Every structure is written in structure tokens, then in C-alpha cells.
Amino acid sequence: MTQTTSHPSIAILLTSMQPHQAVASNSLSLQGSKTDETFSNNLLLRPGERGEMSITLENLGSDAIRWKLEIAGNFPANWCQWHQQDFEEIAPKEKLSKVIGFLVPDNFFENQLALMQKPQLQINYQSTIYVYLEVSGSGQLAEYRVFDLFVRPLCSYLDFVPALYKEVDFVGRYLSIIEQAFDPAVQTIDTLWAYLDPITAPEALLPFLAHWVAWDIDTRWGIDIQRRLIRNAIALYRWHGTSYGLRFYLHLYTGLPLEQINIREIFERGFVFGATSIGFDSMLGGGRPYHFIVEMRPFSSEQIDETSVREIIERQKPAFCTYELDIINP
């Protein structure tokens, strides 16, 4: 798809850098359809993707000329990625190629501010390339070319239709509507596992997941703690009332490594005669049955809420057991 004309001193050739299959045309149209545009000498733009138009200048004269390009149109000025400050020289009989880039914002179709100024979103634009030649120290218009800019959404559904239908603008826009309507559901199905995992599920879904495992959410605790507890609720139920279950619960709540949480039960002998050491392998007055000591070594004193830790111990230990809590600060 090219456009070329000649001038006594310069010739211009425009070529769209889009792949042929990506540029729509009206080679196939639906009967009675008025929505298909002719896509010859045009540039098809996808939001967030750079589109390029190549322009070739040829000096037909026998003298060197100095040239300069200017691009104008009814599209936003920040779309065009072309900057030329001064005139440039082209030798006699020489050809020179330049690339003019266009970049449409990736939120073009989602930006509702564009609809506040017009009753409908504009998706077709016109661009004009002006070629100026330097004559007697000033720029003189030598040639100009007009081409269209067509902004269309990126549609992956076009990859599943015959190539013949890819050239029809109406088919592309129609499939884009279907894709935008069903794609959220397809993406949800593809990542359904993430919605069922408390670690990755949306926060609004956590009460539902907690209800699945009969877990009571304590709103005083942070959301990260709740995610860990809900995910391991079945394991906590299985080991409830054991030293392993209490140690694992404290690990999930505080985030401390298991190596920094120790539960020590007292099995020393009472008062005995013979070689012994008081406080190490024997004690005066006999042992304390069903008594244990919880030792925690946090990185800082602010990392542990003693009140919450005691509530967890009271809830997890057997009712007849007694305990001591020893928080060893660094």
C-alpha cells in the first residue's frame, strides 16, 4: 500500500510499515454494510503499540536541495513521534528514507474523558505530511501527502479466523466486542486456582474461604496473618492441643522461624539423694505435672504482641495444662 507522485525537483513515496495481514481493507464487505473503510494509503494503529509510516524522498534534480518535513492532522499532537529542527540536505539523484512513528496511549478505549467532549469516540483520523524546500533562506512548500490513521483495539480472536476475514474492518471490531465481553470470564477460569488460595485470593473473598474451613476471622489481626491462618486451618485443627500445633500456630501468627519458637516441658525428677544438680536434673518439692514453658526469640521487642500470644496459647493448650511465657528480647 503505497502512494507516490512526482515534483519537478522531488518525488515522495509513502509506505505503511504495518504487516500486510494486519492492515484491514474493504476487499471483502458485508452486503449493505456502511462501516467498512478503505484502508489504502493508511496506517492502522493499536493502542500501546508503535505504528510507523515510511517516507522516501528522491531528489530528481541535478542540484542538492535542503528539505524539511512537518506533520499535521486532527489527531492529538503527542501521538506523532517526529522531531526535525533544521533543514537537511539531499544530494542530486539521491534517495533518502525516514520513518515517522505514531503511538496511541494504551488506555485510549478505556479513557472515558474522551467521551465528555464528543457524543462518540473518534477512531478515524487524518494526517498530512508537508515537504518544504529551502529557497532563498526560507521554507517553500513543495509537496504534501494525506493519509488516514485508523485506531483499532488489539483483538486476539482474529488469530483464529481465516486470513480473508482479517482484512475486513467490521469483522475485527465485531470480534473485539465479543473478546472484551468474554475475556474477563476466560481469564478468571484460567486463574481460578488463585481465587481459591487464601494467599492470592482477593481480600473480599477471604470471608468466603474462611467459612469453607470453619475459621473465625479475628479482625484485630492483619490481612497477611489471616491469609496464612486460613490456608493452614486444617493442619491447625489436626494438631490442636499438641506442642507441635501450638508451635506451628505461633509461627503462622508471628512470622518467626520455627527455630526461634521453643516449647519445653518439665520432666525433671524431684528431690533425690546422690549426684545431682538443682535446677538441671532435679528440683525441690517435686515436678509440676502438665506444665510447659513457651520460649520465643523475636528479632525485636515490637515484633511480638504478648497479649495476643497468650490468647493463642490459652486457646490451643489443653484446659488442664499450665504454662509460662518467656519472650527473650535480642
Side-chain angles (χ1 to χ4, degrees):
M1 292 172 289
T2 61
Q3 181 180 18
T4 180
T5 59
S6 62
H7 186 271
S9 59
I10 194 169
I12 304 176
L13 175 68
L14 290 183
T15 306
S16 173
M17 303 298 289
Q18 291 284 355
H20 176 72
Q21 65 271 17
V23 180
S25 68
N26 65 343
S27 58
L28 176 64
S29 59
L30 302 180
Q31 183 177 4
S33 173
K34 299 181 180 180
T35 60
D36 292 318
E37 294 87 0
T38 301
F39 276 75
S40 59
N41 302 326
N42 69 81
L43 183 61
L44 181 64
L45 298 176
R46 306 290 190 185
E49 296 183 0
R50 176 183 167 90
E52 296 180 343
M53 177 70 75
S54 174
I55 178 170
T56 302
L57 304 177
E58 182 180 4
N59 185 356
L60 303 176
S62 57
D63 298 324
I65 59 176
R66 293 175 59 81
W67 62 274
K68 184 178 181 181
L69 294 181
E70 290 186 4
I71 297 93
N74 61 346
F75 56 88
N78 60 343
W79 287 9
C80 183
Q81 299 178 339
W82 171 261
H83 303 283
Q84 185 182 9
Q85 299 294 335
D86 302 319
F87 285 87
E88 300 181 16
E89 184 174 302
I90 179 173
K93 307 302 181 179
E94 182 183 357
K95 288 184 178 181
L96 183 66
S97 296
K98 295 289 183 179
V99 174
I100 302 173
F102 293 87
L103 182 62
V104 179
D106 53 2
N107 64 341
F108 175 78
F109 289 102
E110 291 78 16
N111 187 5
Q112 298 299 321
L113 296 178
L115 298 177
M116 298 176 60
Q117 302 175 356
K118 300 179 180 180
Q120 60 183 7
L121 185 64
Q122 184 177 357
I123 57 176
N124 298 333
Y125 298 87
Q126 192 176 73
S127 177
T128 305
I129 298 180
Y130 298 95
V131 182
Y132 293 90
L133 300 182
E134 188 178 39
V135 179
S136 301
S138 61
Q140 179 179 351
L141 180 62
E143 290 286 351
Y144 71 92
R145 292 293 177 268
V146 178
F147 64 93
D148 295 321
L149 300 176
F150 295 93
V151 183
R152 298 295 183 267
L154 182 63
C155 181
S156 61
Y157 283 16
L158 284 175
D159 298 336
F160 304 98
V161 299
L164 182 65
Y165 294 100
K166 297 180 181 179
E167 301 179 358
V168 183
D169 181 46
F170 170 78
V171 173
R173 287 191 286 176
Y174 179 73
L175 289 179
S176 178
I177 296 175
I178 298 177
E179 180 179 9
Q180 294 182 30
F182 288 95
D183 196 54
V186 174
Q187 293 181 2
T188 300
I189 294 175
D190 291 340
T191 59
L192 185 60
W193 62 270
Y195 288 84
L196 302 179
D197 189 341
I199 300 298
T200 56
E203 183 176 350
L205 197 60
L206 287 181
F208 174 74
L209 297 179
H211 180 72
W212 265 12
V213 293
W215 184 265
D216 294 330
I217 293 181
D218 193 334
T219 57
R220 298 175 301 171
W221 298 349
I223 187 65
D224 292 336
I225 297 176
Q226 294 295 341
R227 291 181 184 275
R228 294 196 297 265
L229 293 176
I230 295 174
R231 189 182 195 185
N232 296 276
I234 302 301
L236 294 176
Y237 293 153
R238 182 181 297 116
W239 295 100
H240 182 83
T242 65
S243 60
Y244 174 81
L246 176 59
R247 187 164 171 250
F248 186 50
Y249 198 124
L250 294 175
H251 160 68
L252 295 175
Y253 170 71
T254 62
L256 289 177
L258 290 173
E259 295 78 11
Q260 297 178 227
I261 303 174
N262 183 38
I263 298 179
R264 181 163 54 89
E265 300 181 51
I266 299 177
F267 294 106
E268 291 88 350
R269 295 173 295 169
F271 180 76
V272 295
F273 291 99
T276 183
S277 299
I278 300 298
F280 291 94
D281 59 359
S282 64
M283 62 172 36
L284 293 175
R288 299 177 61 183
Y290 312 116
H291 184 80
F292 61 91
I293 300 174
V294 179
E295 296 178 349
M296 306 182 68
R297 295 177 174 83
F299 297 105
S300 63
S301 57
E302 294 80 10
Q303 190 176 3
I304 298 296
D305 182 2
E306 183 175 348
T307 302
S308 299
V309 170
R310 290 187 178 276
E311 290 182 6
I312 293 174
I313 297 175
E314 291 288 348
R315 197 160 49 232
Q316 292 295 310
K317 74 177 183 66
F320 53 84
C321 289
T322 58
Y323 74 94
E324 297 177 22
L325 176 61
D326 188 7
I327 300 177
I328 304 174
N329 292 325

